[in-house]
Amino acid sequence: MSTVASPARPHPSPAVASPGSSLRWAISDCATMVGRSVRHVVRDAEGLLLAVILPVMIMVMFVHVLGGGLQTGLENYVDYAVPGVLLLCTGYNAAVVASSVAMDMTNGVIDRFRSMPIASSSVLVGHVIGSLIRNLFSAVIVVLVALLLGWSPNATPVEWLAAAGLVALFILAMSTVSTAFGILVGSPESASTFSFFLLFLPYVSSGFLPVESLPSWLHGFAENQPMTPMIESLRGLLMGTPIGSSAILAIAWFGGIAVVGGGAASVLFSRRSAR
């Protein structure tokens, strides 16, 4: 069950508030909503368990169950599979925010927030930043499990930071799109179907096998969908494989998705919450 963020606070009157104080209140409201989202994650034992277990199960399945029969050009399959598993786990967990947003839209808590002197955008910011924090935690688990299974990255500290930035951009983009989807569909049950698409895409990319090994009729889609340049960029930064223009394409793809998803979520939220 959702809870309200906090009692109404004495915001300054719009007639006397300066632009600087309005910005400070907006930032404070966003921080309160981020705290609300993080508390929901901590109290959701099932979701927290999934965030921990999912990376472990997927990594073990691909490395020890399937990896022995897959030819990738790298000596150890875990060295090849880590970027794909990273996107698979963080993308799936980012899709969970769609159900959280849909629940807020249907259980009356948005009406409660509208009665309080808070920035309306803080509700969406809280969901998106909360998702970013949760999924960065999930990404750390993927990395730790991979290291235990023999993963041997050769990245410099700068390359690690660049890889972390790309993963954060990916999570941000998926979270904004999931937020828009949660507002659009209007029910938590329908919103949960969004995770299916995010689970499907990494399999039809270079995440777990080279694109050349996929059926020929899939080559065009696999080479040009957004997951492939992101995976090739992460693999290049962490394992030293050629990157080419993949990093630029990945930033363009997911930067664009984040902007479009954020804009769509803002417009949809304004229309739905005004009813």
Side-chain angles (χ1 to χ4, degrees), residues 116-139:
M116 302 166 67
I118 63 173
S120 59
S121 60
S122 64
V123 179
L124 299 184
V125 172
H127 277 295
V128 171
I129 300 301
S131 172
L132 181 63
I133 294 172
R134 180 178 66 246
N135 287 295
L136 287 175
F137 172 70
S138 180

Side-chain angles (χ1 to χ4, degrees), residues 170-203:
F170 170 77
I171 295 171
L172 183 66
M174 292 298 99
S175 298
T176 58
V177 173
S178 299
T179 298
F181 189 77
I183 300 170
L184 181 66
V185 297
S187 76
E189 293 77 13
S190 299
S192 64
T193 61
F194 186 66
S195 60
F196 168 79
F197 299 101
L198 297 182
L199 278 175
F200 173 75
L201 284 178
Y203 292 109

Side-chain angles (χ1 to χ4, degrees), residues 92-234:
Y92 177 80
N93 285 323
V96 174
V97 77
S99 296
S100 299
V101 171
M103 189 174 296
D104 273 358
M105 300 302 297
T106 56
N107 66 3
V109 72
I110 296 299
D111 293 333
R112 176 73 177 96
F113 287 148
R114 287 181 61 200
S115 71
M116 302 166 67
I118 63 173
S120 59
S121 60
S122 64
V123 179
L124 299 184
V125 172
H127 277 295
V128 171
I129 300 301
S131 172
L132 181 63
I133 294 172
R134 180 178 66 246
N135 287 295
L136 287 175
F137 172 70
S138 180
V140 170
I141 293 175
V142 171
V143 169
L144 292 177
V145 173
L147 291 172
L148 289 175
L149 294 178
W151 183 42
S152 54
N154 54 16
T156 64
V158 173
E159 290 170 331
W160 272 105
L161 285 175
L166 287 177
V167 172
L169 176 62
F170 170 77
I171 295 171
L172 183 66
M174 292 298 99
S175 298
T176 58
V177 173
S178 299
T179 298
F181 189 77
I183 300 170
L184 181 66
V185 297
S187 76
E189 293 77 13
S190 299
S192 64
T193 61
F194 186 66
S195 60
F196 168 79
F197 299 101
L198 297 182
L199 278 175
F200 173 75
L201 284 178
Y203 292 109
V204 194
S205 70
S206 62
F208 302 104
L209 282 173
V211 171
E212 296 75 19
S213 65
L214 298 174
S216 57
W217 58 272
L218 276 176
H219 286 183
F221 178 79
E223 289 172 349
N224 295 291
Q225 65 133 318
M227 295 290 184
T228 294
M230 178 61 80
I231 287 169
E232 291 301 321
S233 301
L234 293 175

